[in-house]
């Protein structure tokens, strides 16, 4: 389906890594699929001394490698390149924004300003746009991290909010655009089968994991001042938790969905600083081996302080204080240099109250739902079935929703979906300011306690993190999914 109307997509940080790896490949895929209005234009903005031809050569060299598995259609690529313009812009020069305004004068339709820059530039860019009248009939996309804590996040939101109305601001979290997350909503709210079970009476525990094999790569300076709690928990993990735990919205319009997510975030049980050691584990990777390759310790990575106390791993036990989820533990986990690259949600249902079929029917996790977000996107329902042969011997089997096998259409990448939503003015999959504030308020006691305490627990690269993360689950009679398997 084509976008509703003409647009101009202005990409600040147009030569940056995010633009090359995610944003321009996503726009190309939308273009190739016929989802962009023919009159839509892309204007890349950066400080590099390039003309349009030089920038397009840069795009050819750096974007094609990141296009999806289907590869490049050269005809589609040529017509996509025709959409792109380039404007050299120095944020410190007001006259450069006049030049940008002049470059956009002949463009019709909605203007989208995508800030693929560091958060320190968000406010200066917004003020400069307003100074030349470019904040009217416009939408602005803000990448994470939006601030360092609640105070700095509010400062950015206050400043941006003076220039753009809340309905113009799109705070992007790409995990919300992933196909399995969308299918989780469909599964819950489109089928009578799961809704009666989606509550404390039938759910034993829920795990949400985002694990990476990669280290900090070239982001050592950034990451050492951020850490896993700010980089992943405050946004991605809490957003996924709110999607899993939310009440059914009365419709799928933007505020109905976000109102329900907000209620979950506000219902998170506050963490008493005295209890943080019991419900929160932080770790930092040391040297180890991943898939046969030796990798260095975090403290020796480029840009990282040798005595750094920054966490590269976080595991949390979270509780939601409402009628649906009271008493059900949610275990959140994220880390770098772990044993595998995986993002998944695991819903462990309670065992049957009595079994005439033997002890296997009473074991925890006999019935579970696993929503895999990456690397392959699937939803798998585990249950028990009789093994062939004599006797009533039960074995775990699973039912798969493998999207690539069932649906002929190719799956839409998260950034592609979210960029189309921005262009078409759909806010449901973007984070509202009050959601962001609620998330920061909940994580701040942990941030403050860790800032005042000792170093993170060490774990070897290529493992699943500190042993304390497994011990935390063991106290509740459960384990992480990979430990059971």
């Amino acid at each position: 389906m084509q976008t509703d109307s003409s647009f101009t997509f202005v990409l600040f940080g147009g030569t940056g890594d995010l633009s090359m790896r995610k944003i321009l490949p996503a726009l190309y895929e939308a273009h190739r699929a016929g989802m962009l209005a023919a009159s839509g234009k892309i204007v890349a903005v950066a400080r590099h001394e390039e003309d349009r031809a030089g920038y397009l050569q840069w795009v050819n060299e750096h974007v094609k490698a990141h296009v999806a598995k289907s590869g490049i259609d050269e005809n589609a690529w040529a017509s996509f390149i025709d959409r792109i313009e380039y404007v050299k812009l120095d944020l410190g020069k007001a006259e450069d924004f006049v030049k940008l305004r002049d470059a956009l004068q002949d463009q019709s339709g909605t203007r989208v300003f995508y800030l693929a820059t560091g958060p320190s530039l968000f406010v200066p860019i917004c003020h400069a746009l307003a100074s030349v009248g470019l904040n009217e009939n416009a939408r602005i996309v803000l990448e994470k991290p939006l601030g360092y804590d609640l105070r700095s996040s509010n400062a950015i939101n206050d400043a941006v909010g003076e220039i753009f109305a809340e309905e113009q601001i799109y705070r992007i979290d790409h995990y919300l655009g992933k196909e399995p997350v969308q299918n989780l909503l469909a599964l819950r709210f489109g089928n009578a089968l799961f809704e009666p079970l989606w509550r404390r009476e039938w759910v034993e525990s829920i795990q949400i994991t985002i694990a990476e094999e990669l280290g900090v790569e070239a982001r050592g300076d950034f990451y050492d001042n951020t850490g896993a709690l700010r980089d992943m928990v405050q946004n991605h993990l809490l957003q996924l938790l709110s999607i899993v735990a939310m009440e059914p919205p009365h419709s799928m319009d933007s505020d109905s969905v976000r109102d329900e997510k907000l209620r979950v975030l506000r219902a998170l049980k506050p963490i008493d600083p005295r209890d943080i050691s019991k419900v929160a584990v932080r770790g930092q990777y040391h040297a180890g081996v991943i898939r046969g390759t030796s990798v260095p310790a975090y403290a020796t990575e480029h840009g990282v302080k040798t005595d750094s106390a920054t966490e590269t791993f976080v595991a949390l036990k979270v509780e939601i204080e409402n009628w649906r989820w009271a008493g059900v533990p949610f275990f959140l986990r994220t880390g770098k240099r772990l044993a595998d690259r995986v993002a998944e949600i695991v819903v462990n249902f309670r065992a049957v109250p009595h079994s005439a079929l033997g002890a296997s029917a009473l074991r925890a996790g006999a019935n579970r739902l696993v929503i895999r977000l990456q690397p392959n996107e699937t939803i798998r329902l585990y249950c028990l079935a009789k093994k062939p042969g004599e006797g009533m011997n039960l074995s775990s089997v699973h039912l798969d929703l493998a999207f690539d096998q069932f649906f002929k259409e190719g799956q839409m990448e998260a950034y592609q979906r979210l960029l189309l939503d921005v262009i078409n003015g759909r806010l449901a999959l973007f984070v509202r300011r009050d959601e962001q504030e609620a998330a920061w308020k909940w994580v701040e006691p942990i941030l403050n306690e860790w800032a005042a305490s000792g170093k993170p627990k060490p774990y070897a690269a290529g493992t699943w993190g500190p042993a304390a993360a497994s011990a935390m689950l063991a106290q509740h009679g459960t384990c992480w999914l990979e430990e059971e398997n």
Side-chain angles (χ1 to χ4, degrees), residues 174-175 178 180-181 207-212 232 236-237 240 333-334 340-346 370-378 464:
H174 71 274
Y175 274 86
K178 288 181 176 290
V181 175
Q207 301 174 17
I208 305 177
T209 293
I210 303 176
E212 300 177 271
M232 298 297 292
H236 297 326
L237 281 168
L240 290 177
R333 175 177 60 164
T334 186
D340 200 2
R341 173 180 175 264
V342 62
E344 64 187 9
I345 300 163
V346 180
V370 179
I371 301 117
R372 177 66 64 92
L373 307 180
Q374 65 182 32
N376 54 319
E377 300 183 342
T378 60
W464 282 102

mmCIF file of all heavy atoms in Angstrom, residues 174-175 178 180-181 207-212 232 236-237 240 333-334 340-346 370-378 464:
data_model
loop_
_atom_site.group_PDB
_atom_site.id
_atom_site.type_symbol
_atom_site.label_atom_id
_atom_site.label_comp_id
_atom_site.label_asym_id
_atom_site.label_seq_id
_atom_site.Cartn_x
_atom_site.Cartn_y
_atom_site.Cartn_z
ATOM 1 N N HIS A 174 12.785 0.738 17.821
ATOM 2 C CA HIS A 174 12.588 -0.142 16.676
ATOM 3 C C HIS A 174 12.053 -1.518 17.066
ATOM 4 O O HIS A 174 11.477 -2.215 16.225
ATOM 5 C CB HIS A 174 13.869 -0.260 15.847
ATOM 6 C CG HIS A 174 14.961 -1.038 16.502
ATOM 7 N ND1 HIS A 174 15.859 -0.476 17.377
ATOM 8 C CD2 HIS A 174 15.316 -2.344 16.399
ATOM 9 C CE1 HIS A 174 16.710 -1.384 17.791
ATOM 10 N NE2 HIS A 174 16.406 -2.530 17.216
ATOM 11 N N TYR A 175 12.186 -1.917 18.331
ATOM 12 C CA TYR A 175 11.628 -3.210 18.728
ATOM 13 C C TYR A 175 10.110 -3.230 18.602
ATOM 14 O O TYR A 175 9.512 -4.281 18.359
ATOM 15 C CB TYR A 175 12.053 -3.564 20.160
ATOM 16 C CG TYR A 175 13.398 -4.256 20.199
ATOM 17 C CD1 TYR A 175 14.575 -3.521 20.233
ATOM 18 C CD2 TYR A 175 13.498 -5.637 20.165
ATOM 19 C CE1 TYR A 175 15.807 -4.141 20.235
ATOM 20 C CE2 TYR A 175 14.734 -6.269 20.163
ATOM 21 C CZ TYR A 175 15.888 -5.512 20.202
ATOM 22 O OH TYR A 175 17.099 -6.135 20.195
ATOM 23 N N LYS A 178 8.876 -4.598 15.164
ATOM 24 C CA LYS A 178 9.182 -5.962 14.729
ATOM 25 C C LYS A 178 7.906 -6.766 14.525
ATOM 26 O O LYS A 178 6.949 -6.656 15.292
ATOM 27 C CB LYS A 178 10.109 -6.644 15.737
ATOM 28 C CG LYS A 178 11.537 -6.093 15.712
ATOM 29 C CD LYS A 178 12.427 -6.817 16.697
ATOM 30 C CE LYS A 178 13.873 -6.333 16.596
ATOM 31 N NZ LYS A 178 14.532 -6.757 15.360
ATOM 32 N N PRO A 180 7.022 -9.973 15.031
ATOM 33 C CA PRO A 180 6.456 -10.780 16.114
ATOM 34 C C PRO A 180 5.791 -9.949 17.208
ATOM 35 O O PRO A 180 4.860 -10.427 17.860
ATOM 36 C CB PRO A 180 7.665 -11.548 16.661
ATOM 37 C CG PRO A 180 8.643 -11.569 15.547
ATOM 38 C CD PRO A 180 8.456 -10.255 14.861
ATOM 39 N N VAL A 181 6.270 -8.721 17.448
ATOM 40 C CA VAL A 181 5.610 -7.867 18.430
ATOM 41 C C VAL A 181 4.226 -7.483 17.929
ATOM 42 O O VAL A 181 3.246 -7.489 18.685
ATOM 43 C CB VAL A 181 6.464 -6.617 18.726
ATOM 44 C CG1 VAL A 181 5.733 -5.665 19.666
ATOM 45 C CG2 VAL A 181 7.810 -7.025 19.328
ATOM 46 N N GLN A 207 9.658 -14.324 30.842
ATOM 47 C CA GLN A 207 11.044 -13.902 30.615
ATOM 48 C C GLN A 207 11.111 -13.069 29.335
ATOM 49 O O GLN A 207 10.484 -13.411 28.335
ATOM 50 C CB GLN A 207 11.971 -15.109 30.443
ATOM 51 C CG GLN A 207 12.010 -16.065 31.612
ATOM 52 C CD GLN A 207 12.833 -17.306 31.297
ATOM 53 O OE1 GLN A 207 13.623 -17.336 30.352
ATOM 54 N NE2 GLN A 207 12.646 -18.347 32.095
ATOM 55 N N ILE A 208 11.877 -11.990 29.380
ATOM 56 C CA ILE A 208 12.134 -11.189 28.186
ATOM 57 C C ILE A 208 13.650 -11.005 28.082
ATOM 58 O O ILE A 208 14.277 -10.456 28.998
ATOM 59 C CB ILE A 208 11.430 -9.827 28.233
ATOM 60 C CG1 ILE A 208 9.920 -10.003 28.477
ATOM 61 C CG2 ILE A 208 11.673 -9.059 26.940
ATOM 62 C CD1 ILE A 208 9.159 -8.694 28.616
ATOM 63 N N THR A 209 14.226 -11.490 27.003
ATOM 64 C CA THR A 209 15.677 -11.470 26.820
ATOM 65 C C THR A 209 16.045 -10.752 25.526
ATOM 66 O O THR A 209 15.427 -10.987 24.481
ATOM 67 C CB THR A 209 16.238 -12.906 26.760
ATOM 68 O OG1 THR A 209 16.070 -13.534 28.035
ATOM 69 C CG2 THR A 209 17.715 -12.918 26.401
ATOM 70 N N ILE A 210 17.022 -9.873 25.600
ATOM 71 C CA ILE A 210 17.678 -9.312 24.410
ATOM 72 C C ILE A 210 19.171 -9.523 24.605
ATOM 73 O O ILE A 210 19.812 -8.832 25.411
ATOM 74 C CB ILE A 210 17.365 -7.827 24.198
ATOM 75 C CG1 ILE A 210 15.860 -7.588 24.092
ATOM 76 C CG2 ILE A 210 18.074 -7.317 22.940
ATOM 77 C CD1 ILE A 210 15.478 -6.114 23.966
ATOM 78 N N ALA A 211 19.724 -10.513 23.927
ATOM 79 C CA ALA A 211 21.131 -10.890 24.094
ATOM 80 C C ALA A 211 21.901 -10.613 22.809
ATOM 81 O O ALA A 211 21.394 -10.836 21.710
ATOM 82 C CB ALA A 211 21.237 -12.372 24.463
ATOM 83 N N GLU A 212 23.123 -10.139 22.964
ATOM 84 C CA GLU A 212 23.982 -9.834 21.824
ATOM 85 C C GLU A 212 25.309 -10.574 21.959
ATOM 86 O O GLU A 212 25.849 -10.691 23.070
ATOM 87 C CB GLU A 212 24.248 -8.333 21.740
ATOM 88 C CG GLU A 212 23.018 -7.468 21.571
ATOM 89 C CD GLU A 212 23.370 -5.995 21.570
ATOM 90 O OE1 GLU A 212 23.406 -5.392 22.650
ATOM 91 O OE2 GLU A 212 23.630 -5.456 20.475
ATOM 92 N N MET A 232 19.329 -0.280 27.085
ATOM 93 C CA MET A 232 18.394 -1.333 26.672
ATOM 94 C C MET A 232 17.174 -1.490 27.576
ATOM 95 O O MET A 232 16.069 -1.702 27.088
ATOM 96 C CB MET A 232 19.133 -2.679 26.614
ATOM 97 C CG MET A 232 20.262 -2.730 25.610
ATOM 98 S SD MET A 232 19.736 -2.522 23.895
ATOM 99 C CE MET A 232 18.820 -4.038 23.636
ATOM 100 N N HIS A 236 13.867 -0.457 25.370
ATOM 101 C CA HIS A 236 13.434 -1.669 24.673
ATOM 102 C C HIS A 236 12.737 -2.670 25.593
ATOM 103 O O HIS A 236 11.627 -3.136 25.302
ATOM 104 C CB HIS A 236 14.635 -2.362 24.021
ATOM 105 C CG HIS A 236 15.319 -1.548 22.968
ATOM 106 N ND1 HIS A 236 14.642 -0.691 22.138
ATOM 107 C CD2 HIS A 236 16.628 -1.463 22.604
ATOM 108 C CE1 HIS A 236 15.503 -0.119 21.311
ATOM 109 N NE2 HIS A 236 16.706 -0.563 21.582
ATOM 110 N N LEU A 237 13.385 -3.039 26.693
ATOM 111 C CA LEU A 237 12.836 -4.104 27.535
ATOM 112 C C LEU A 237 11.546 -3.676 28.227
ATOM 113 O O LEU A 237 10.582 -4.455 28.309
ATOM 114 C CB LEU A 237 13.870 -4.564 28.556
ATOM 115 C CG LEU A 237 14.934 -5.513 27.990
ATOM 116 C CD1 LEU A 237 16.076 -5.688 28.970
ATOM 117 C CD2 LEU A 237 14.337 -6.872 27.658
ATOM 118 N N LEU A 240 8.749 -3.689 25.637
ATOM 119 C CA LEU A 240 8.272 -5.041 25.361
ATOM 120 C C LEU A 240 7.425 -5.564 26.521
ATOM 121 O O LEU A 240 6.380 -6.192 26.309
ATOM 122 C CB LEU A 240 9.446 -5.969 25.095
ATOM 123 C CG LEU A 240 10.211 -5.746 23.791
ATOM 124 C CD1 LEU A 240 11.396 -6.704 23.704
ATOM 125 C CD2 LEU A 240 9.310 -5.914 22.571
ATOM 126 N N ARG A 333 16.277 -9.487 30.898
ATOM 127 C CA ARG A 333 17.720 -9.740 30.779
ATOM 128 C C ARG A 333 18.241 -9.171 29.468
ATOM 129 O O ARG A 333 17.624 -9.322 28.414
ATOM 130 C CB ARG A 333 17.978 -11.249 30.829
ATOM 131 C CG ARG A 333 19.406 -11.671 30.611
ATOM 132 C CD ARG A 333 19.584 -13.178 30.740
ATOM 133 N NE ARG A 333 18.784 -13.945 29.787
ATOM 134 C CZ ARG A 333 18.986 -15.223 29.485
ATOM 135 N NH1 ARG A 333 19.962 -15.890 30.079
ATOM 136 N NH2 ARG A 333 18.206 -15.839 28.620
ATOM 137 N N THR A 334 19.402 -8.525 29.547
ATOM 138 C CA THR A 334 20.075 -8.058 28.342
ATOM 139 C C THR A 334 21.570 -8.023 28.597
ATOM 140 O O THR A 334 22.015 -7.878 29.745
ATOM 141 C CB THR A 334 19.580 -6.649 27.927
ATOM 142 O OG1 THR A 334 20.165 -6.292 26.665
ATOM 143 C CG2 THR A 334 19.945 -5.594 28.948
ATOM 144 N N ASP A 340 24.871 -16.109 22.602
ATOM 145 C CA ASP A 340 24.128 -16.149 21.346
ATOM 146 C C ASP A 340 23.463 -14.803 21.131
ATOM 147 O O ASP A 340 23.280 -14.023 22.075
ATOM 148 C CB ASP A 340 23.067 -17.263 21.395
ATOM 149 C CG ASP A 340 22.591 -17.697 20.012
ATOM 150 O OD1 ASP A 340 23.110 -17.153 19.008
ATOM 151 O OD2 ASP A 340 21.720 -18.571 19.939
ATOM 152 N N ARG A 341 23.100 -14.528 19.890
ATOM 153 C CA ARG A 341 22.314 -13.335 19.573
ATOM 154 C C ARG A 341 20.851 -13.757 19.510
ATOM 155 O O ARG A 341 20.441 -14.496 18.612
ATOM 156 C CB ARG A 341 22.758 -12.745 18.231
ATOM 157 C CG ARG A 341 21.876 -11.594 17.741
ATOM 158 C CD ARG A 341 22.368 -11.060 16.412
ATOM 159 N NE ARG A 341 21.476 -10.039 15.868
ATOM 160 C CZ ARG A 341 20.521 -10.272 14.990
ATOM 161 N NH1 ARG A 341 20.336 -11.514 14.507
ATOM 162 N NH2 ARG A 341 19.749 -9.297 14.546
ATOM 163 N N VAL A 342 20.082 -13.309 20.449
ATOM 164 C CA VAL A 342 18.688 -13.720 20.494
ATOM 165 C C VAL A 342 17.870 -12.655 21.216
ATOM 166 O O VAL A 342 18.341 -12.022 22.158
ATOM 167 C CB VAL A 342 18.519 -15.089 21.204
ATOM 168 C CG1 VAL A 342 18.974 -15.005 22.655
ATOM 169 C CG2 VAL A 342 17.093 -15.596 21.131
ATOM 170 N N ALA A 343 16.653 -12.444 20.736
ATOM 171 C CA ALA A 343 15.685 -11.611 21.442
ATOM 172 C C ALA A 343 14.385 -12.406 21.464
ATOM 173 O O ALA A 343 13.885 -12.816 20.412
ATOM 174 C CB ALA A 343 15.489 -10.271 20.734
ATOM 175 N N GLU A 344 13.849 -12.630 22.660
ATOM 176 C CA GLU A 344 12.653 -13.463 22.753
ATOM 177 C C GLU A 344 11.870 -13.149 24.014
ATOM 178 O O GLU A 344 12.404 -12.628 25.003
ATOM 179 C CB GLU A 344 13.015 -14.951 22.720
ATOM 180 C CG GLU A 344 13.844 -15.423 23.888
ATOM 181 C CD GLU A 344 14.316 -16.864 23.731
ATOM 182 O OE1 GLU A 344 14.147 -17.450 22.649
ATOM 183 O OE2 GLU A 344 14.880 -17.387 24.717
ATOM 184 N N ILE A 345 10.589 -13.476 23.948
ATOM 185 C CA ILE A 345 9.672 -13.378 25.079
ATOM 186 C C ILE A 345 9.176 -14.787 25.365
ATOM 187 O O ILE A 345 8.705 -15.478 24.453
ATOM 188 C CB ILE A 345 8.481 -12.452 24.747
ATOM 189 C CG1 ILE A 345 8.968 -11.048 24.404
ATOM 190 C CG2 ILE A 345 7.482 -12.416 25.906
ATOM 191 C CD1 ILE A 345 7.936 -10.200 23.685
ATOM 192 N N VAL A 346 9.292 -15.236 26.616
ATOM 193 C CA VAL A 346 8.896 -16.587 27.006
ATOM 194 C C VAL A 346 7.796 -16.485 28.058
ATOM 195 O O VAL A 346 8.026 -15.942 29.150
ATOM 196 C CB VAL A 346 10.091 -17.386 27.569
ATOM 197 C CG1 VAL A 346 9.647 -18.797 27.969
ATOM 198 C CG2 VAL A 346 11.228 -17.437 26.560
ATOM 199 N N VAL A 370 6.711 -19.119 23.184
ATOM 200 C CA VAL A 370 7.997 -18.460 22.932
ATOM 201 C C VAL A 370 7.846 -17.578 21.693
ATOM 202 O O VAL A 370 7.590 -18.084 20.594
ATOM 203 C CB VAL A 370 9.134 -19.480 22.733
ATOM 204 C CG1 VAL A 370 10.443 -18.760 22.439
ATOM 205 C CG2 VAL A 370 9.278 -20.363 23.974
ATOM 206 N N ILE A 371 7.990 -16.287 21.899
ATOM 207 C CA ILE A 371 7.914 -15.321 20.794
ATOM 208 C C ILE A 371 9.337 -14.903 20.484
ATOM 209 O O ILE A 371 9.973 -14.189 21.270
ATOM 210 C CB ILE A 371 7.056 -14.102 21.170
ATOM 211 C CG1 ILE A 371 5.630 -14.549 21.530
ATOM 212 C CG2 ILE A 371 7.019 -13.093 20.036
ATOM 213 C CD1 ILE A 371 5.243 -14.264 22.936
ATOM 214 N N ARG A 372 9.868 -15.353 19.370
ATOM 215 C CA ARG A 372 11.255 -15.060 18.987
ATOM 216 C C ARG A 372 11.264 -13.830 18.082
ATOM 217 O O ARG A 372 10.621 -13.808 17.022
ATOM 218 C CB ARG A 372 11.848 -16.265 18.259
ATOM 219 C CG ARG A 372 13.268 -16.082 17.736
ATOM 220 C CD ARG A 372 14.302 -15.927 18.816
ATOM 221 N NE ARG A 372 14.448 -17.103 19.659
ATOM 222 C CZ ARG A 372 15.319 -18.085 19.423
ATOM 223 N NH1 ARG A 372 16.091 -18.052 18.341
ATOM 224 N NH2 ARG A 372 15.413 -19.102 20.258
ATOM 225 N N LEU A 373 12.020 -12.806 18.488
ATOM 226 C CA LEU A 373 12.121 -11.558 17.729
ATOM 227 C C LEU A 373 13.322 -11.546 16.799
ATOM 228 O O LEU A 373 13.291 -10.913 15.746
ATOM 229 C CB LEU A 373 12.221 -10.361 18.684
ATOM 230 C CG LEU A 373 11.142 -10.253 19.766
ATOM 231 C CD1 LEU A 373 11.391 -9.025 20.625
ATOM 232 C CD2 LEU A 373 9.762 -10.191 19.155
ATOM 233 N N GLN A 374 14.403 -12.185 17.214
ATOM 234 C CA GLN A 374 15.590 -12.294 16.376
ATOM 235 C C GLN A 374 16.426 -13.472 16.873
ATOM 236 O O GLN A 374 16.287 -13.880 18.033
ATOM 237 C CB GLN A 374 16.416 -10.996 16.407
ATOM 238 C CG GLN A 374 17.012 -10.645 17.745
ATOM 239 C CD GLN A 374 17.766 -9.324 17.732
ATOM 240 O OE1 GLN A 374 17.450 -8.393 17.018
ATOM 241 N NE2 GLN A 374 18.781 -9.225 18.553
ATOM 242 N N PRO A 375 17.210 -14.093 16.006
ATOM 243 C CA PRO A 375 17.465 -13.714 14.608
ATOM 244 C C PRO A 375 16.339 -14.123 13.657
ATOM 245 O O PRO A 375 16.090 -13.457 12.663
ATOM 246 C CB PRO A 375 18.748 -14.460 14.277
ATOM 247 C CG PRO A 375 18.713 -15.661 15.168
ATOM 248 C CD PRO A 375 18.062 -15.210 16.451
ATOM 249 N N ASN A 376 15.671 -15.243 13.901
ATOM 250 C CA ASN A 376 14.523 -15.626 13.083
ATOM 251 C C ASN A 376 13.259 -15.267 13.850
ATOM 252 O O ASN A 376 13.190 -15.407 15.069
ATOM 253 C CB ASN A 376 14.551 -17.124 12.766
ATOM 254 C CG ASN A 376 14.659 -17.959 14.027
ATOM 255 O OD1 ASN A 376 15.403 -17.607 14.929
ATOM 256 N ND2 ASN A 376 13.926 -19.048 14.102
ATOM 257 N N GLU A 377 12.242 -14.774 13.151
ATOM 258 C CA GLU A 377 11.044 -14.266 13.794
ATOM 259 C C GLU A 377 9.943 -15.319 13.727
ATOM 260 O O GLU A 377 9.389 -15.604 12.667
ATOM 261 C CB GLU A 377 10.615 -12.961 13.122
ATOM 262 C CG GLU A 377 11.704 -11.881 13.216
ATOM 263 C CD GLU A 377 11.286 -10.555 12.623
ATOM 264 O OE1 GLU A 377 10.310 -10.528 11.836
ATOM 265 O OE2 GLU A 377 11.920 -9.543 12.939
ATOM 266 N N THR A 378 9.642 -15.920 14.887
ATOM 267 C CA THR A 378 8.646 -16.983 14.952
ATOM 268 C C THR A 378 7.882 -16.883 16.268
ATOM 269 O O THR A 378 8.317 -16.233 17.218
ATOM 270 C CB THR A 378 9.295 -18.384 14.893
ATOM 271 O OG1 THR A 378 10.194 -18.527 16.003
ATOM 272 C CG2 THR A 378 10.052 -18.603 13.599
ATOM 273 N N TRP A 464 26.424 -16.865 29.394
ATOM 274 C CA TRP A 464 25.120 -16.206 29.525
ATOM 275 C C TRP A 464 25.085 -15.218 30.684
ATOM 276 O O TRP A 464 24.014 -14.907 31.209
ATOM 277 C CB TRP A 464 24.010 -17.242 29.658
ATOM 278 C CG TRP A 464 23.646 -17.870 28.349
ATOM 279 C CD1 TRP A 464 24.004 -19.091 27.883
ATOM 280 C CD2 TRP A 464 22.864 -17.266 27.319
ATOM 281 N NE1 TRP A 464 23.503 -19.300 26.630
ATOM 282 C CE2 TRP A 464 22.791 -18.185 26.248
ATOM 283 C CE3 TRP A 464 22.221 -16.033 27.170
ATOM 284 C CZ2 TRP A 464 22.099 -17.935 25.074
ATOM 285 C CZ3 TRP A 464 21.534 -15.770 25.997
ATOM 286 C CH2 TRP A 464 21.479 -16.711 24.970
#
